[in-house]
Amino acid sequence: MSDSLERIPARRIWQVGALCHAIADALEARFGSVTVQGELAGVSRAASGHWYFSLKDAAGQLRCAMFRRAASLLDWQPQEGQQVEVRGRLAVYEARGELQLIVESMRRAGQGALYEDFLRRKAALQALGWFDAARKRVATPYPRGIGLVTSLGAAALRDVASTWARRAPHVPVVLVPALVQGQGAPADLVRALQTLYRLVERQRQGTAPAGIAPIDTIVLVRGGGSLEDLWAFNDEGVAEAIIHSPVPLITGVGHETDFTIADFCADLRAPTPTAAAELAALPREDILHQVTLEGQRLGQWVERRLQNEAQRLDRLGWTLERACGRFRTQSQRLQQIEGRMQHVLPRWLGVHRPRWEAWRQRLEQAVRQQRITREQRMQLSLWQTRMQRVLHLQHAMAVSHLRELERRLHDSVHTALEAQVASLTTLETGLRLMNPQALLQRGYALLQDDQGHLLSHRRDFRLQQQVHARISDGEVLLTPLPVQIPLQGEEGE
């Protein structure tokens, strides 16, 4: 009998905790991650941030725990009686030996169908090219005016308004209110956007009412919510209205993790309404800083330009001086030519006049002797006429050439004198501006010691020293006094 008992194998005896742990391992190996749909019951939140509740239906109930990290990702508040879908893993709470579901994510029941509809709409509109990056425009960082579409009662309006009041109070805003949630929200959003579009077109045509700043950017915002709350921004009519915006359009719908079809159609998507306001306009401080930098660059450019023009003026003065020398040389040469013409022309006439006189006498003698034919007389008369014309033409050309040279000389000298007068006027103005007396008349003083040395630094002064201060209408005597506060940059002296 004792031998038979010894041959019976001993059964394993489990410790309670070990058995619970083994059951948990078996459940995790068998089911892994599961998705469960049911009604919330016994919802409570611990001080640690963990959520505890039960998930039930008509046939059963399951205890659930949602730890703080997963609960912080919810953008809505779980409430008693809500139908939800949760995803998590089965586990055993060993302290009580209870089966429970460790929830990793939760959403309202029915959002799975909405999300599938969202994906279908997104794929269809993407195929039409509504999301193409090529059609998206860059919003100007310096808008003259901003158009805003949101709900009057939305927290997003307060966030956007406070952001612009703090960062860009100089930019005027045109608000067109619209519903952002509910059955009538899509049509109301389209109406508000088209109202701004018509205003932009009228401003471009010059027929808009006076006093409204030109709209360069449109901002469409709404606060966070569930997929169902944001569904108006997934409407195809709203998407079509967005892609036809005449100016760049920025959306800020929901939180950073929320994406809508309106975001894909917009020229720029911001993660939140506040971020959309920040992207619509640069801060006033940044603009003022850029204006200061541009002013400095402009001043430097003007200074370089003045220096270049001063050098150019000097070169022109030297060129003018050399030109005046050439003009004087040409004038002397013209006078020499004119003198030579006055001497050469009478000599030329004196040389040829005896020949003409001889021909005339011979012609008269032949006529008297009637030894010349009629044809010969005509030829001689024609030759005499031609000679007279040649002499007259040469004389006229010489006189015209002399007059043209005289006119050109007069014009050149006149132009050179005008340029010289303008240069002297500019130099006179510069000297007048650099006159020390002019600085004294503006409130400055020239400080000198008894020997007439200029005092321009603090180290040049001595106590009880007589200082001669020259001002605009005379001179006064000053005596330096000790001071306790050193000037900036002289602490080490």
Side-chain angles (χ1 to χ4, degrees), residues 217-234:
T217 305
I218 294 177
V219 178
L220 176 63
V221 296
R222 187 216 188 275
S226 64
L227 180 61
E228 184 178 1
D229 296 336
L230 304 179
W231 194 249
F233 294 88
N234 294 319

Side-chain angles (χ1 to χ4, degrees), residues 473-488:
D473 58 350
E475 182 177 303
V476 295
L477 291 178
L478 304 177
T479 302
L481 298 177
V483 294
Q484 299 299 327
I485 301 176
L487 297 177
Q488 183 178 1

Side-chain angles (χ1 to χ4, degrees), residues 165-184:
R166 172 175 48 86
R167 289 168 53 91
H170 59 283
V171 180
V173 179
V174 178
L175 171 63
V176 180
L179 297 175
V180 295
Q181 183 175 344
Q183 185 175 0

Side-chain angles (χ1 to χ4, degrees), residues 67-88:
F67 297 131
R68 180 175 57 188
R69 183 188 61 81
S72 64
L73 300 178
L74 291 178
D75 56 1
W76 56 283
Q77 186 81 7
Q79 296 180 359
E80 193 85 11
Q82 286 182 326
Q83 291 288 329
V84 297
E85 294 178 1
V86 298
R87 181 176 60 81

